[in-house]
Amino acid sequence: MPCQEEFIHEIYRVSMKRITIKDIARLAGVSISTVSRALHDHPDLSSDIIQKIKSIADEQHYIPNTTALNLKSKNSKLIALIVPEISMFYIPEIIKAVSELSLKNGYRLLILSSDENSDKEIENIKISIQSGVEGILVSLCNNSRIQDHIQSLLDLGISLVLFDKTVDHPMVDTVTIQDELVAHEAIQFLSDHQCNPILCVLGNPGLSITQARKRGIEQFAQKKSDLDIQFCFANNSFEAKHNTKKFLQSNQSINGLFLMSDEILLGVSELFRQSSSVSGIRQVITISEGWLPNLIEFPLHFYVQSGKEMAHSALDLLFQKIKSSQENLSAQHRIIPLELRKNSFCDLDEV
Amino acid sequence: MPCQEEFIHEIYRVSMKRITIKDIARLAGVSISTVSRALHDHPDLSSDIIQKIKSIADEQHYIPNTTALNLKSKNSKLIALIVPEISMFYIPEIIKAVSELSLKNGYRLLILSSDENSDKEIENIKISIQSGVEGILVSLCNNSRIQDHIQSLLDLGISLVLFDKTVDHPMVDTVTIQDELVAHEAIQFLSDHQCNPILCVLGNPGLSITQARKRGIEQFAQKKSDLDIQFCFANNSFEAKHNTKKFLQSNQSINGLFLMSDEILLGVSELFRQSSSVSGIRQVITISEGWLPNLIEFPLHFYVQSGKEMAHSALDLLFQKIKSSQENLSAQHRIIPLELRKNSFCDLDEV
DNA sequence: CTGTTAGCGCGTTCAC
DNA sequence: GTGAACGCGCTAACAG
């Protein structure tokens, strides 16, 4: 009788109540705990009652209430990912990798962006705590003031792993790339290829990674005093393009280019088209997530910084921390090795 | 006495127990309910006891347990954002906008990616339900099978808003751009500028937006039978670049280009450098998030599809649904208007 | 094999 | 004014 069915359906809609094990118990004529046991394949139960209960759970579209489970088990199966900003580069890769892997491990993910604002970063940590996360993955924003809050986090039993943009703290685990070393090697590469006035286009000078990479460059410069190294900074692709252009125009002798990131590469790549602006450039080397360089029709070498690899390593560390939440006093510091590659245009060049 | 203090601190650390109202009650020598009332400024309590309890809550760094609150109140202040994939384009903009705005409204956000896999999409919906979300924002993946699950969602009292990549359903609200109209207008624009063999580079042909845009193009073609319109499809930037290149080489007469997305634009933009491949092109028109076109040194027009605006509209709709969770039978369909712009290189061209 | 009971942290009656 | 008791959905220890 469609009329009655519709009526029942209407009741159902209006009440908008999720089916609980209680409902199933009533429907099956057994007690709540029997349902719970059946749903968990408890060995004490006969397989026919298990089947019966499971089938009616299916029919009713039973979905266990995660909130109740969390309250009981006292773990939220929730972690937070706090990123300095949501940009086109690198971050989507990180989000994707962390999101996938955490889900695979039965954890849900809270993603928060600090928008390069240290107040917001702290606010994000607060939100994470209030949301009951078991662990937090953070890539710090510029001028981060997180140091003051690390101890409270640890006191709360919340695991913390810093990645990419980190800070030194005796109790905190980190995952980074070899910023200094890579920059050092990059300049070595340029120098080995007879580039002498070299222009380094770096990101925001306040960032820890900018400083580390700059340090690496300067280290190499000290070893080789005849090398002329120039710096220019840019906060985004636009600035990278314009600042580099201006610089190259007034320093026509420059024949080697080091670009710190994809964002900068994208801006500077515009100059590669106007062969006049880059006619003197012998070699370009960058640090990249790996995707962009192959779209650029100009021979360039790049160190691949795999967001996926870093995310996996950081998450692995975090889960490790969460599981053994006992005081593992020694903080781990993982370093992601980078691989030097050349884009497809280099090969064409060689042929 | 620092020694004892440290000891207490150690206990605190080892136990790693979050302070609850129970602890505060014990510390204050009152009952649990009194603490609860004090923390909520209940009028029945004397202001001095309120102050006392609040101050000891502060000292103990009391943080209310969100899980317990959710279990009790049955609303989680949690919404889900399900995107078809996490790509560099458009999605970061969406994530950023939704994330910001939902936080501002006191809601936390669960971000899930379907990786263009309809099974995963359904799995994501399940995860959202299990997590107790109050509403879900979805941009569908290719070949989505969500239709079969919409009714169950609605039955569960979970609000649902589809955006960008949607499907028709009598009960579901949507936010889209005017896909057909915009494509129609774009071709009109090219035609008005004396482009006659026109090449349209579109995305995955299975996507609803690809189909809608193609429909718009064909609508215009029917009105103007002397117009020669060619199609070529690409799943990503690489394919866009190579397919377009191949196509232009074998169809040298083509002088107008319609590019469906940023992803395609990025690929095709590589061709703009080799003036030989695009020497015959008079006009290029695209649909873009707005950022990329100004980085490309080739005159082009583009319809700006603001991810921010779409995200805000969709979220606004979702909150509206959540608040008035009574049966608002009429589904709303919002359309985000697009604005035609030209990139900075067009201006230079005119000067 | 199965039901009863207690309790996770919290808010809210309902008595005192 | 304030405490005891109940219940949100679920699991687990304890009885039968």
Side-chain angles (χ1 to χ4, degrees):
Chain A
M1 201 197 252
C3 184
Q4 190 188 352
E5 198 171 28
E6 197 157 320
F7 174 67
I8 288 170
H9 185 241
E10 199 51 36
I11 293 284
Y12 180 46
R13 258 194 63 62
V14 170
S15 72
M16 291 194 302
K17 189 168 144 273
R18 284 260 291 271
I19 297 292
T20 71
I21 51 171
K22 200 174 178 181
D23 300 314
I24 297 180
R26 195 169 28 75
L27 258 38
V30 295
S31 83
I32 295 178
S33 47
T34 303
V35 175
S36 173
R37 283 192 273 251
L39 263 22
H40 288 263
D41 292 308
H42 193 95
D44 284 0
L45 262 60
S46 67
S47 61
D48 51 340
I49 188 97
I50 289 187
Q51 283 316 311
K52 181 187 166 194
I53 289 177
K54 276 194 175 177
S55 74
I56 107 159
D58 261 14
E59 278 166 28
Q60 301 295 323
H61 299 109
Y62 168 72
I63 297 173
N65 184 321
T66 314
T67 309
L69 253 21
N70 290 342
L71 180 60
K72 182 121 250 295
S73 67
K74 289 185 154 192
N75 59 6
S76 56
K77 289 286 178 189
L78 216 208
I79 56 178
L81 168 66
I82 301 180
V83 295
E85 60 170 339
I86 294 184
S87 68
M88 281 175 71
F89 298 108
Y90 198 56
I91 299 297
E93 188 76 13
I94 296 279
I95 290 181
K96 187 173 173 177
V98 173
S99 172
E100 248 172 43
L101 196 58
S102 55
L103 233 48
K104 208 168 281 173
N105 285 54
Y107 276 75
R108 289 163 304 141
L109 180 65
L110 192 61
I111 299 172
L112 299 165
S113 166
S114 310
D115 288 330
E116 288 296 358
N117 175 338
S118 60
D119 288 337
K120 217 167 187 174
E121 187 172 270
I122 290 169
E123 184 61 29
N124 284 341
I125 288 178
K126 249 192 195 156
I127 291 171
S128 303
I129 297 174
Q130 284 178 347
S131 303
V133 301
E134 296 178 37
I136 311 183
L137 229 48
V138 191
S139 181
L140 296 176
C141 71
N142 190 12
N143 303 323
S144 171
R145 299 200 315 277
I146 200 178
Q147 286 93 332
D148 316 336
H149 301 261
I150 288 179
Q151 195 55 53
S152 336
L153 277 176
L154 267 24
D155 287 348
L156 253 31
I158 296 176
S159 303
L160 179 66
V161 171
L162 266 28
F163 73 96
D164 199 33
K165 292 157 84 179
T166 67
V167 75
D168 282 337
H169 186 284
M171 297 288 289
V172 171
D173 304 63
T174 61
V175 179
T176 52
I177 63 166
Q178 307 142 303
D179 287 294
E180 274 191 54
L181 182 60
V182 166
H184 185 282
E185 279 184 10
I187 302 302
Q188 170 120 45
F189 175 91
L190 292 176
S191 173
D192 288 351
H193 284 77
Q194 284 78 46
C195 298
N196 191 340
I198 291 174
L199 175 61
C200 301
V201 189
L202 306 181
N204 185 309
L207 292 180
S208 61
I209 53 170
T210 303
Q211 286 161 6
R213 292 169 195 193
K214 187 156 182 284
R215 261 199 315 278
I217 295 166
E218 284 161 346
Q219 267 172 26
F220 183 82
Q222 284 186 346
K223 292 200 303 192
K224 206 163 157 68
S225 56
D226 60 322
L227 198 59
D228 177 15
I229 296 182
Q230 302 288 329
F231 290 98
C232 122
F233 299 90
N235 289 308
N236 52 50
S237 296
F238 283 90
E239 287 187 22
K241 174 178 161 187
H242 290 112
N243 296 354
T244 306
K245 189 173 187 173
K246 207 183 284 177
F247 209 100
L248 290 180
Q249 276 169 351
S250 53
N251 296 267
Q252 307 232 352
S253 59
I254 281 169
N255 55 15
L257 228 48
F258 168 69
L259 311 177
M260 182 184 119
S261 67
D262 275 324
E263 201 169 2
I264 286 168
L265 172 60
L266 183 60
V268 174
S269 73
E270 299 296 309
L271 304 178
F272 295 158
R273 293 179 205 165
Q274 316 156 335
S275 53
S276 62
S277 353
V278 291
S279 56
I281 302 295
R282 267 213 188 84
Q283 288 284 350
V284 181
I285 190 162
T286 82
I287 299 176
S288 165
E289 178 264 330
W291 190 76
L292 188 59
N294 281 315
L295 273 171
I296 290 174
E297 302 208 3
F298 192 92
L300 45 87
H301 288 248
F302 57 101
Y303 288 94
V304 189
Q305 172 179 26
S306 161
K308 188 174 169 180
E309 205 171 327
M310 179 168 284
H312 281 191
S313 184
L315 202 50
D316 177 63
L317 198 50
L318 189 67
F319 283 143
Q320 194 177 303
K321 280 280 152 185
I322 290 176
K323 269 162 202 153
S324 67
S325 66
Q326 313 308 21
E327 64 263 66
N328 244 2
L329 289 174
S330 62
Q332 286 186 47
H333 299 285
R334 295 195 183 173
I335 309 268
I336 306 290
L338 301 200
E339 193 190 333
L340 182 59
R341 292 201 201 148
K342 47 193 176 180
N343 70 350
S344 45
F345 207 74
C346 278
D347 298 327
L348 294 177
D349 219 29
E350 285 166 5
V351 174
Chain B
M1 203 196 251
C3 185
Q4 190 188 352
E5 196 169 30
E6 197 156 322
F7 174 66
I8 289 171
H9 184 242
E10 201 49 39
I11 294 283
Y12 179 48
R13 260 194 61 63
V14 169
S15 72
M16 287 195 304
K17 189 168 143 275
R18 284 263 288 271
I19 298 291
T20 71
I21 51 171
K22 201 175 179 179
D23 300 315
I24 297 180
R26 195 170 27 76
L27 257 39
V30 294
S31 83
I32 295 176
S33 45
T34 303
V35 175
S36 173
R37 283 193 271 254
L39 262 23
H40 289 265
D41 290 309
H42 193 94
D44 282 2
L45 262 59
S46 65
S47 61
D48 50 341
I49 189 95
I50 289 187
Q51 283 315 312
K52 182 187 168 196
I53 290 177
K54 276 194 173 176
S55 75
I56 106 159
D58 260 14
E59 278 167 28
Q60 300 295 324
H61 298 110
Y62 168 72
I63 297 173
N65 184 321
T66 315
T67 308
L69 253 20
N70 290 342
L71 180 60
K72 184 127 251 295
S73 68
K74 291 187 154 190
N75 62 7
S76 55
K77 288 286 177 190
L78 215 207
I79 56 179
L81 169 65
I82 302 180
V83 294
E85 60 170 342
I86 293 183
S87 68
M88 281 175 71
F89 298 108
Y90 198 55
I91 298 298
E93 188 75 14
I94 295 280
I95 290 180
K96 189 174 174 179
V98 173
S99 171
E100 249 173 40
L101 197 57
S102 56
L103 233 50
K104 208 169 280 173
N105 284 54
Y107 276 75
R108 288 163 304 139
L109 181 63
L110 193 61
I111 299 172
L112 300 165
S113 166
S114 310
D115 288 329
E116 288 297 355
N117 174 338
S118 59
D119 288 337
K120 216 166 186 175
E121 188 173 270
I122 290 169
E123 185 59 31
N124 284 342
I125 288 179
K126 245 191 196 159
I127 292 171
S128 303
I129 297 174
Q130 285 179 346
S131 302
V133 301
E134 296 178 37
I136 310 183
L137 229 47
V138 191
S139 182
L140 296 176
C141 71
N142 189 11
N143 304 324
S144 171
R145 298 199 317 277
I146 201 179
Q147 285 94 332
D148 317 335
H149 301 261
I150 289 179
Q151 194 56 53
S152 338
L153 277 175
L154 266 24
D155 287 349
L156 253 31
I158 295 176
S159 304
L160 178 67
V161 171
L162 265 31
F163 73 95
D164 200 30
K165 293 157 83 180
T166 67
V167 75
D168 281 337
H169 185 286
M171 298 287 290
V172 170
D173 304 64
T174 62
V175 179
T176 53
I177 64 164
Q178 309 141 302
D179 286 293
E180 274 191 53
L181 182 61
V182 165
H184 184 284
E185 278 184 10
I187 303 302
Q188 170 120 46
F189 176 91
L190 292 176
S191 173
D192 287 351
H193 284 76
Q194 285 79 44
C195 298
N196 192 340
I198 291 174
L199 174 61
C200 301
V201 189
L202 306 182
N204 185 308
L207 292 180
S208 61
I209 52 169
T210 304
Q211 286 160 6
R213 291 171 193 190
K214 188 156 181 283
R215 262 199 314 278
I217 295 166
E218 283 161 346
Q219 268 172 27
F220 184 81
Q222 284 185 346
K223 291 200 303 191
K224 208 163 156 68
S225 56
D226 61 320
L227 197 60
D228 177 15
I229 297 182
Q230 303 287 330
F231 290 99
C232 121
F233 298 90
N235 288 309
N236 53 50
S237 296
F238 284 91
E239 287 186 22
K241 174 177 160 186
H242 291 111
N243 297 353
T244 306
K245 189 172 189 175
K246 208 183 284 178
F247 208 101
L248 289 180
Q249 278 169 351
S250 53
N251 297 267
Q252 306 232 351
S253 59
I254 281 169
N255 55 14
L257 230 46
F258 169 68
L259 311 176
M260 184 184 116
S261 67
D262 275 325
E263 201 169 0
I264 287 168
L265 172 61
L266 184 58
V268 173
S269 72
E270 299 297 309
L271 304 178
F272 295 157
R273 293 177 205 166
Q274 316 156 333
S275 53
S276 61
S277 357
V278 292
S279 57
I281 302 294
R282 266 213 189 86
Q283 289 284 349
V284 180
I285 190 161
T286 83
I287 300 176
S288 164
E289 179 263 330
W291 190 75
L292 188 60
N294 280 316
L295 274 172
I296 289 174
E297 302 209 2
F298 192 91
L300 46 85
H301 288 250
F302 57 101
Y303 288 94
V304 188
Q305 171 180 26
S306 160
K308 189 173 170 183
E309 206 171 324
M310 178 167 285
H312 281 190
S313 185
L315 201 51
D316 177 62
L317 199 49
L318 189 68
F319 283 142
Q320 194 177 305
K321 281 278 151 186
I322 290 175
K323 269 162 201 154
S324 67
S325 67
Q326 312 308 19
E327 66 261 67
N328 245 2
L329 290 173
S330 62
Q332 286 186 47
H333 299 285
R334 295 195 183 173
I335 309 268
I336 306 290
L338 300 200
E339 194 189 334
L340 182 60
R341 292 198 201 151
K342 47 193 176 180
N343 71 349
S344 46
F345 208 72
C346 278
D347 298 328
L348 294 177
D349 217 31
E350 284 167 6
V351 173

